[in-house]
Amino acid sequence: MTIKILSDSLINQIAAGEVVERPASVVKELVENALDAGADQIVVDVVDGGRTLISVIDNGGGMGHEDLAKCIMRHATSKLADGDLLNINFMGFRGEALPSIASVSDMTIDTNRGGNGLQLNCSTGEIRPSAWESGTRVRAENLFGKTPARLKFLRSDRAEMMSIVEVVKRLALARPDVGFILNNKWRYLGGQSIYDRTVSIIGDDADGRMIEILNTSGELKLSGFVSEPTFRRASSIDQYLFVNGRPVKDKVLVGALRAAYMDVMSAREFPAVALYLELPSGEVDVNVSPAKTEVHFLEPSRIRAFIIKTIRDSLAVPLCAAGKFETESLKVDQAVIRDDNLFCVPNVGHDLLFINEPGKYHNYVQNVAARYVAENSAPAADYPLGRAIGQIGNKYILSRNVGGLVIVDQHAAHERIVYEKLRARQINRQPLLTPIVIKLKSEEVAAVMEIADELVACGLKIDEFGDDAIAIYEKPADWDLDWTKVLRDVASEVRSSGHSSKLSEKLHLKLANHACHHSVRAGQTLDLNQMNALLRDIENTERAGQCNHGRPVYKMITIAEIDKWFERL
Ligand code: ADP
Ligand code: MG
């Protein structure tokens, strides 16, 4: 074996494997370049999920002749002036994107830096005059046409398009000042406030339900918006996180977010957020992977604590803002919502608080109030599994009945209930004379249509209804679900986990879960209402004593047994 030096084109294709995994990564790199060039208007056009054409037009500074010739050379960048890899103020810095994309597509660049327009044919390296007037247009055609092996790994056009939409949304949220248009369908006006951009990205249903976040500690700053606890999504897809202006998917941040919402949201629900963390560039390494969605923090635990505290404090504000409440003692049964404008909540201590800022915290307050009532009422004699008194280890529900104490394994119980419901179910299909039309965001429509065939197996026959709606033509006869919610959840899952062969399996469970209101797993925090609902479900389920793996679902400890422990014979 003799050692050979790889050709430039091969080197670029190998690098492309890391930088441009799929069409969405091409869009990401090109849009980032446009932002780095100072553009405030970016127009993206994609044909056939990006395989046939990706075009990105910007009104940024453009390139002169010399730069244009250099830009497709490897490791050629104008963005690392001081050569300091930790001090990166641009989106890109590796000088790898353009040569990589050029090596796996037919690419042309039209640009104008204020003078005559120029066009670079990236396959031949030839530069000639062009009528291009200002800014830059990069066109990448026949993506992966030169690397058929890679082409095979692309998913359906629709699925690739979905990823592109996610990429553009993330970048659009990173820069609310910049206008973005994707395929003339997703349009975000330039110069929006962060709030308006957040709502246009997350969805109109977020309007009025996002809480502003703003806190600084030393050189750390966290700002943006998080959803109030009652505004939840079925996946983390609407969590938009930015570090120093860069969209990231980072474990430290996601973990902190989960921890901040732990008391007000179950582990299977996700707040929608647009959060911007800023810190000195020396304290974060964004140079981790070519895709650059991961970062490393110098002091992750400090960042985590700062985020948790900031969000918790912001969520708690309406509950304790001075002057917003007065204390008064009330009878226990009054600790519920009295009217639309006044809630009363049991304080952590003994007093009850009036909260004069309703609406936003409706469900949360209701839960706290319900818990208070449940904890302070006499034990019920009526239910075999009694009334819930609390949860331990986020795994077991404790309940008291007339006989004593009941301990329930919530996960085993959940499994049994879902399983029995599935077993009992035979889908009776009900064709609908008038289809049910569900309005969704276009990307949700795309996501749901992606698995339309699998949905048929679950008794749901659907089709697109314009760009932003789904029509249901046939549904399972026995289920009248909140179809908007079901389809949103399905879309959320498809968008976050992509295509999945196990989807129909999941879907069965998902539908069954929806049908039985509550689905619970080990590790999930439950409020008393949810615990009691689960207890009632178990009582109404056949063979409820064991889960479908044969493990016990609950155990009862009689008062007589407890008496023995304490030698009260
Ligand atoms: P990087 O962005 O890491 O510098 P790229 O390969 O993406 O590397 O781009 C190489 C160079 O080409 C950039 O540093 C920039 O000078 C120039 N360039 C790329 N896209 C544009 C654009 N849209 N407008 C102006 N200059 C651009
Ligand atoms: Mg770049």
Side-chain angles (χ1 to χ4, degrees), residues 235-478:
S235 79
S236 59
I237 193 78
D238 278 324
Q239 297 188 342
Y240 298 90
L241 304 168
F242 305 89
V243 172
N244 289 349
R246 200 181 279 280
V248 298
K249 284 180 185 154
D250 177 77
K251 280 192 234 103
V252 175
L253 303 185
V254 170
L257 202 53
R258 172 154 304 298
Y261 275 84
M262 201 169 67
D263 294 337
V264 289
M265 218 173 262
S266 79
R268 299 178 70 201
E269 298 165 320
F270 302 82
V273 309
L275 275 179
Y276 304 80
L277 178 69
E278 280 157 58
L279 70 171
S281 52
E283 287 182 32
V284 58
D285 186 357
V286 296
N287 188 26
V288 181
S289 70
K292 292 176 301 219
T293 52
E294 260 178 65
V295 290
H296 282 168
F297 294 109
L298 205 57
E299 294 180 283
S301 52
R302 179 164 160 242
I303 306 282
R304 181 181 151 88
F306 172 64
I307 294 176
I308 296 177
K309 180 170 178 354
T310 302
I311 297 180
R312 284 211 174 143
D313 287 353
S314 310
L315 293 178
V317 161
L319 291 178
C320 55
K324 292 233 162 119
F325 60 81
E326 44 183 290
T327 48
E328 191 185 313
S329 49
L330 278 175
K331 280 205 220 119
V332 163
D333 60 359
Q334 287 179 285
V336 289
I337 294 159
R338 297 210 308 198
D339 61 52
D340 272 358
N341 293 312
L342 188 65
F343 295 96
C344 36
V345 194
N347 195 2
V348 198
H350 308 287
D351 295 329
L352 297 174
L353 303 184
F354 278 113
I355 294 188
N356 296 323
E357 199 186 47
K360 282 168 103 176
Y361 289 85
H362 187 94
N363 289 0
Y364 177 65
V365 171
Q366 214 170 9
N367 277 340
V368 180
R371 187 180 339 153
Y372 189 76
V373 173
E375 277 168 7
N376 290 281
S377 356
D382 42 0
Y383 296 120
L385 291 182
R387 295 212 180 194
I389 46 184
Q391 196 185 14
I392 44 177
N394 277 356
K395 271 191 283 199
Y396 300 104
I397 297 169
L398 294 191
S399 157
R400 56 183 161 175
N401 64 8
V402 270
L405 184 68
V406 187
I407 305 176
V408 178
D409 178 333
Q410 66 189 49
H411 178 55
H414 164 258
E415 265 185 10
R416 167 54 60 191
I417 292 165
V418 169
Y419 182 79
E420 287 299 329
K421 289 220 158 123
L422 274 175
R423 240 173 52 100
R425 192 180 52 110
Q426 259 194 349
I427 300 174
N428 294 320
R429 291 163 195 280
Q430 178 191 2
L432 299 169
L433 286 179
T434 331
I436 306 173
V437 176
I438 309 276
K439 266 196 92 70
L440 295 171
K441 287 185 280 182
S442 349
E443 56 269 33
E444 288 173 327
V445 171
V448 173
M449 286 313 296
E450 186 64 18
I451 56 148
D453 294 347
E454 293 171 52
L455 286 171
V456 174
C458 305
L460 211 54
K461 213 161 118 187
I462 58 164
D463 206 349
E464 276 167 293
F465 197 81
D467 263 354
D468 53 1
I470 290 271
I472 301 180
Y473 294 99
E474 203 172 289
K475 71 173 188 67
D478 312 326

Side-chain angles (χ1 to χ4, degrees), residues 63 65 68-69 108-112 116-122 124-132:
M63 281 177 273
H65 196 287
L68 188 57
T108 45
I109 303 178
D110 289 275
T111 189
N112 192 328
N116 295 322
L118 297 168
Q119 184 178 68
L120 168 67
N121 176 330
C122 301
T124 62
E126 185 193 350
I127 295 181
R128 43 176 190 198
S130 129
W132 198 253

Side-chain angles (χ1 to χ4, degrees), residues 448-519:
V448 173
M449 286 313 296
E450 186 64 18
I451 56 148
D453 294 347
E454 293 171 52
L455 286 171
V456 174
C458 305
L460 211 54
K461 213 161 118 187
I462 58 164
D463 206 349
E464 276 167 293
F465 197 81
D467 263 354
D468 53 1
I470 290 271
I472 301 180
Y473 294 99
E474 203 172 289
K475 71 173 188 67
D478 312 326
W479 289 347
D480 274 311
L481 304 183
D482 177 349
W483 293 112
T484 309
K485 167 125 181 56
V486 173
L487 293 184
R488 277 225 171 103
D489 284 357
V490 167
S492 187
E493 210 161 62
V494 177
R495 281 167 69 201
S496 71
S497 61
H499 193 74
S500 155
S501 58
K502 293 216 158 169
L503 215 57
S504 77
E505 203 177 290
K506 268 201 215 148
L507 217 67
H508 272 86
L509 266 170
K510 181 151 228 89
L511 289 171
N513 288 348
H514 269 285
C516 68
H517 301 298
H518 295 277
S519 54

